[in-house]
C-alpha cells in the first residue's frame, strides 16, 4: 500500500516536468526534427526483415516504400490536408482509429507506437500494403493504395516506387523477387 502511494506521488510530481518539457519545445521542432543515425536506420531495416518473414519480394517492397517515404523514428510530418504521416514508413494518422479498433487498444497508444516504435510502424505498413494486395490483387495498385486513396496519386506513387525497385540491389535468389512483381526478371 505504501509503495503504491509512493509511486503515485512520484508520478504526480513528475507530470508537471513532462508537460513543461512538451510545451516548451516548439511544435515545429517536435514535428520536423529528423535524427539520422545509422543505428536507427539499422533498427528500421531489421524490423523490415523481421516483418518480411523471409519473403524477399516483400522485404524489397517494404524497403522501397521506406526509401520513398523517407520517414524516421519519431517523425510526425504534417500533410497539406492537415493529417500527419508517422514514423519511418510514414503511416498516415488516418489509420490510427481503425488500427486501435482492430487491436483493441486506445488511439493515443497506437499513435505513439506508430511514431516511436519502428517495428510496430513497419508491421502496420506491411498490413496496409498486404491488405491492399489482397483486395486489389494487383501489386502496383497496392503500392499506390499504400500511399493514397486517390487514383492519380496512386499511379504517380507506384511509378516512383517502381523506379526505386529497379535501382535497388537484388537478392541472390530469383525466388526472392516474388510472384506477380513486374520488373523483377520473373
Amino acid at each position: 500500500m505504501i509503495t503504491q502511494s509512493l509511486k503515485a506521488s512520484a508520478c504526480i510530481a513528475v507530470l508537471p516536468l513532462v508537460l513543461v518539457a512538451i510545451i516548451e519545445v516548439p511544435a515545429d521542432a517536435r514535428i520536423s526534427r529528423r535524427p539520422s543515425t545509422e543505428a536507427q536506420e539499422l533498427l528500421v531495416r531489421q524490423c523490415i526483415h523481421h516483418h518480411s518473414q523471409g519473403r524477399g519480394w516483400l522485404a524489397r517492397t517494404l524497403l522501397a516504400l521506406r526509401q520513398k517515404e523517407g520517414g524516421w523514428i519519431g517523425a510526425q510530418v504534417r500533410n497539406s490536408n492537415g493529417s500527419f504521416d508517422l514514423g519511418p514508413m510514414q503511416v498516415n494518422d488516418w489509420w490510427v482509429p481503425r488500427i486501435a479498433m482492430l487491436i483493441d487498444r486506445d488511439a493515443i497508444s497506437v499513435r505513439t507506437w506508430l511514431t516511436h516504435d519502428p517495428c510496430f510502424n513497419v508491421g502496420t505498413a506491411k498490413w496496409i500494403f498486404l491488405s491492399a494486395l489482397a483486395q486489389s490483387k494487383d501489386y502496383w495498385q497496392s503500392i499506390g493504395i499504400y500511399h493514397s486513396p486517390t487514383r492519380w496519386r496512386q499511379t504517380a506513387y507506384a511509378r516512383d516506387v517502381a523506379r526505386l525497385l529497379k535501382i535497388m540491389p537484388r537478392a541472390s535468389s530469383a525466388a526472392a523477387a516474388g510472384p506477380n512483381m513486374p520488373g523483377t526478371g520473373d
Side-chain angles (χ1 to χ4, degrees):
M1 183 77 168
I2 293 173
T3 8
Q4 285 182 327
S5 296
L6 288 173
K7 285 180 184 176
S9 296
C11 288
I12 291 170
V14 172
L15 186 58
L17 298 172
V18 171
L19 290 175
V20 166
I22 291 170
I23 293 168
E24 286 184 355
V25 176
D28 288 345
R30 285 197 315 268
I31 292 168
S32 62
R33 184 163 303 174
R34 181 181 181 159
S36 61
T37 67
E38 288 181 34
Q40 286 185 356
E41 189 58 33
L42 178 61
L43 183 57
V44 173
R45 286 180 169 271
Q46 288 172 341
C47 294
I48 287 171
H49 288 288
H50 168 76
H51 279 288
S52 299
Q53 300 171 313
R55 294 177 282 181
W57 70 271
L58 184 55
R60 282 178 44 85
T61 300
L62 292 172
L63 287 166
L65 291 173
R66 163 87 176 95
Q67 187 174 350
K68 173 67 178 151
E69 292 295 338
W72 60 94
I73 299 169
Q76 295 186 54
V77 178
R78 183 184 295 272
N79 295 311
S80 60
N81 66 3
S83 68
F84 285 85
D85 288 338
L86 308 173
M89 301 295 286
Q90 294 288 273
V91 174
N92 192 279
D93 68 353
W94 176 88
W95 290 99
V96 169
R98 183 171 181 188
I99 295 163
M101 185 181 71
L102 286 170
I103 66 172
D104 195 26
R105 296 289 192 260
D106 64 283
I108 293 170
S109 294
V110 169
R111 183 184 180 97
T112 300
W113 296 334
L114 284 171
T115 304
H116 299 287
D117 181 334
C119 284
F120 186 81
N121 184 274
V122 168
T124 301
K126 170 190 160 185
W127 174 79
I128 292 168
F129 168 71
L130 290 179
S131 296
L133 185 59
Q135 182 181 15
S136 71
K137 308 280 191 259
D138 182 276
Y139 179 84
W140 295 114
Q141 186 177 1
S142 302
I143 293 285
I145 290 170
Y146 177 82
H147 175 67
S148 173
T150 309
R151 188 70 179 142
W152 71 267
R153 287 187 173 146
Q154 292 173 2
T155 302
Y157 187 85
R159 201 175 303 126
D160 289 347
V161 171
R163 285 187 203 110
L164 290 171
L165 283 166
K166 274 187 173 180
I167 62 173
M168 281 178 67
R170 296 187 194 282
S172 59
S173 165
N180 303 321
M181 192 170 141
T184 61
D186 286 345

